[in-house]
Amino acid sequence: MIGVSTVSLFYALLALVANAAVIGSLALAVAARRSPGARRSLDGLRSSAGSSALVAAFVVATLATIGSLYFSEVAHFEPCRLCWYQRIAMYPLVVILGIAALGRDPGVRRYAMPLAGIGALIATYHYALEWLPWLDTGACSATTPCTIVWFREFGFISLPYLALSAFLLILALLWLSDGSVADRVRQPLAQDGRSS
Amino acid sequence: MTRPRKPSPAPRTGPSVPMLVLGLGALVIAIAAVAAVALAPAPAAPSAAASAPPSAPPAASPSIGAAAADLSPYASTTNDDAVGRPAPEVDGRSFDGTPVRITADGRPKVIVFLAHWCPHCQREVPVVQAWLDAKGMPAGVDLISVATAIDPNRPNYPPDAWLAREHWSVPVIVDADNQVATRYGLTAFPFWVAVAGDGTVAQRLTGELTPEQLDALVTSVASP
């Protein structure tokens, strides 16, 4: 029987992997601005990532959604208002990124990145609220205040941290997905005279 | 209306189909895992109970006098229509069964409602305890706490272990069915009710109080 603590630990480990991937991408992006070698590595990664990055982003959104539903429906952690706003940003990404991954449609970045960006901002505020409860009204609502910390794996990985990690990884993957696939799709459109 | 994408040379990249299969495989496994956990016979109740037993709150709920009407749900300290109304009398018990009462006995009182899972309460309890240790309550004024919104599924359960950790010296009424909170019009935590010597509500407020605000609240009901 898998317990809630096992699942939260599993997701915390996933979050650490996600963090490492995001930090790696950022480091590569920074290095690419300075060194031609890193630039070539980044270009190579982006062109080879292509639609695989979309699939990966879809998997991340799906795992995040499953985790979210597990914690509310199985573990009975009631979602607070900010949790709901993050869900509003995350759940549609499963459908949008899933369809985009199937159709290898890099244009999805324009729809998915704002959602993931908004979700990341809300998750950041929610995470800050857990450590600094005075950021809100100074009192807990009698129902489900957003300052409740349901768990803190390794002393710092809580639910909004998981959400933030997922949103940031989705953003990084979407950024990586803008490789040669995008160019290859745009070209036929241009040949049809339909592209600006 | 032509759809340009389909007939054009498919933008195939090598790993995408295996990746998709992999992704869907992971999805199926994850869904199966969640389903297995969710559908397993009665998992939640025993685990919650298992973490609770040494210090579950007493089964008996406090009895609340019917003489005083319910105070309206708290909205704001200013123009609070509960002020001047009689505070409901409570005949309650502490975690260990010790009787703790709120009665119109002529003594002014400050009542604080605490939820074990509320971070603001978690921060306030040591502040109040330090204030008590430093100054103590003025003679003739009682401080009574009410442990309410007790939920084994929420963090920092059980409340008696939490309050013991904080060396909480204030008498506690265990509000097992949240009736005391409801009767006093609680809408947020921590919730403070100052009761004048004549048994009427002098002030209600919510949130963390600083030691200075505690001073002000207590002296506002202390006998002149």
Side-chain angles (χ1 to χ4, degrees):
Chain A
M1 184 68 220
I2 300 170
V4 175
S5 56
T6 312
V7 176
S8 55
L9 178 65
F10 169 71
Y11 270 97
L13 292 171
L14 281 185
L16 290 178
V17 173
N19 296 162
V22 170
I23 291 168
S25 307
L26 273 177
L28 197 54
V30 170
R33 296 177 79 93
R34 295 164 186 239
S35 118
R39 177 82 229 171
R40 276 194 297 278
S41 308
L42 179 61
D43 289 345
L45 182 63
R46 293 181 86 179
S47 62
S48 65
S51 56
S52 302
L54 285 183
V55 177
F58 160 72
V59 171
V60 173
T62 304
L63 283 171
T65 298
I66 290 170
S68 157
L69 289 170
Y70 172 85
F71 287 121
S72 67
E73 303 308 313
V74 181
H76 302 296
F77 298 168
E78 292 151 61
C80 76
R81 200 174 66 253
L82 290 176
C83 294
W84 278 109
Y85 293 156
Q86 287 160 79
R87 289 171 156 213
I88 288 166
M90 183 64 81
Y91 291 9
L93 286 174
V94 178
V95 178
I96 296 174
L97 292 173
I99 293 169
L102 278 173
R104 294 174 191 183
D105 177 7
V108 74
R109 298 167 82 246
R110 272 181 293 169
Y111 310 102
M113 286 183 102
L115 270 178
I118 291 166
L121 287 177
I122 297 169
T124 303
Y125 174 67
H126 191 182
Y127 186 64
L129 205 56
E130 287 188 341
W131 288 101
L132 311 168
W134 47 263
L135 282 174
D136 70 351
T137 56
C140 291
S141 78
T143 50
T144 308
C146 295
T147 44
I148 288 192
V149 182
W150 293 99
F151 60 78
R152 262 195 194 124
E153 293 292 342
F154 310 127
F156 69 100
I157 299 184
S158 59
L159 282 169
Y161 188 94
L162 296 181
L164 177 61
S165 301
F167 282 125
L168 291 180
L169 182 55
I170 289 169
L171 282 172
L173 288 166
L174 288 173
W175 173 70
L176 282 173
S177 75
D178 184 31
S180 59
V181 177
D183 299 329
R184 271 187 255 166
V185 172
R186 277 193 210 106
Q187 279 166 3
L189 287 177
Q191 284 161 11
D192 287 354
R194 291 174 59 100
S195 176
S196 54
Chain B
M1 172 115 186
T2 55
R3 296 173 65 88
R5 230 180 31 191
K6 200 72 180 176
S8 65
R12 288 198 169 275
T13 56
S16 58
V17 170
M19 276 294 286
L20 191 59
V21 172
L22 200 68
L24 289 174
L27 177 62
V28 168
I29 291 169
I31 290 172
V34 171
V37 172
L39 300 177
S47 67
S51 66
S55 40
S61 302
S63 62
I64 310 169
D70 290 6
L71 302 180
S72 60
Y74 173 81
S76 163
T77 300
T78 51
N79 300 323
D80 185 359
D81 66 6
V83 171
R85 294 182 188 272
E89 296 193 310
V90 180
D91 186 359
R93 290 191 180 278
S94 187
F95 295 109
D96 60 4
T98 313
V100 182
R101 294 190 180 87
I102 301 171
T103 53
D105 53 6
R107 289 171 65 88
K109 294 173 184 54
V110 172
I111 309 165
V112 57
F113 291 76
L114 302 167
H116 60 89
W117 43 263
C118 166
H120 292 287
C121 298
Q122 291 163 11
R123 285 155 51 102
E124 181 69 350
V125 159
V127 171
V128 175
Q129 189 58 53
W131 176 84
L132 282 172
D133 292 343
K135 296 188 159 189
M137 288 293 283
V141 184
D142 296 328
L143 178 61
I144 298 167
S145 58
V146 179
T148 188
I150 298 167
D151 184 345
N153 284 318
R154 292 197 171 197
N156 197 30
Y157 179 87
D160 54 340
W162 162 51
L163 293 173
R165 268 198 313 278
E166 299 289 353
H167 307 291
W168 186 241
S169 62
V170 180
V172 183
I173 291 175
V174 182
D175 189 17
D177 55 4
N178 303 333
Q179 278 307 300
V180 182
T182 306
R183 294 290 301 271
Y184 274 82
L186 178 147
T187 51
F189 296 102
F191 180 54
W192 300 85
V193 182
V195 181
D198 63 1
T200 60
V201 174
Q203 193 182 356
R204 296 192 299 176
L205 63 163
T206 60
E208 294 177 45
L209 300 188
T210 62
E212 294 73 32
Q213 290 170 317
L214 275 169
D215 278 336
L217 182 68
V218 170
T219 48
S220 73
V221 288
S223 305

